[in-house]
Amino acid sequence: ELPGGIEQARSHCEQYVEVTGDKVYNDWRLPTAAEIQIIIDHQDDSGAMAEVLSGTQYYCAYNGVDSRGEIIYTKVVPGKNSNSSHVRCVRDAY
């Protein structure tokens, strides 16, 4: 859980950097709810990728607002409930 909520989540993604060989990736952002759903669909319903979103709530760029006034995507998982919100940064690959 981030004490700074959605603003800290946005800041985290804006400052996040990955370096692979001679490539620097520094253009990360919070995903939209639709992008989170795409990741969930591909990790849960196909063998295309490993599970990368194992939590139940994620900060996102656009979606409903929860009771704390945060922008949250909630993944419905039978038998699993959490009050912790997670951050998953994404970047555009074009």
Side-chain angles (χ1 to χ4, degrees):
E1 182 93 24
L2 296 174
I6 190 75
E7 291 307 319
Q8 186 177 356
R10 282 189 187 113
S11 178
H12 170 77
C13 288
E14 289 171 1
Q15 296 175 25
Y16 184 74
V17 176
E18 269 189 28
V19 178
T20 305
D22 61 347
K23 301 266 185 189
V24 176
Y25 301 102
N26 60 1
D27 55 348
W28 298 86
R29 61 179 173 76
L30 282 179
T32 65
E35 289 169 323
I36 292 174
Q37 188 61 54
I38 289 168
I39 294 168
I40 289 169
D41 289 345
H42 286 284
Q43 75 176 12
D44 290 349
D45 296 336
S46 75
M49 64 185 294
E51 183 179 41
V52 294
L53 298 180
S54 60
T56 58
Q57 295 181 345
Y58 290 87
Y59 290 106
C60 63
Y62 308 101
N63 199 18
V65 177
D66 76 355
S67 61
R68 297 176 309 231
E70 301 285 335
I71 301 170
I72 301 292
Y73 174 91
T74 301
K75 175 183 171 186
V76 178
V77 180
K80 187 174 182 182
N81 191 5
S82 172
N83 291 328
S84 296
S85 299
H86 304 278
V87 178
R88 182 71 185 187
C89 303
V90 297
R91 56 182 292 278
D92 298 319
Y94 55 85

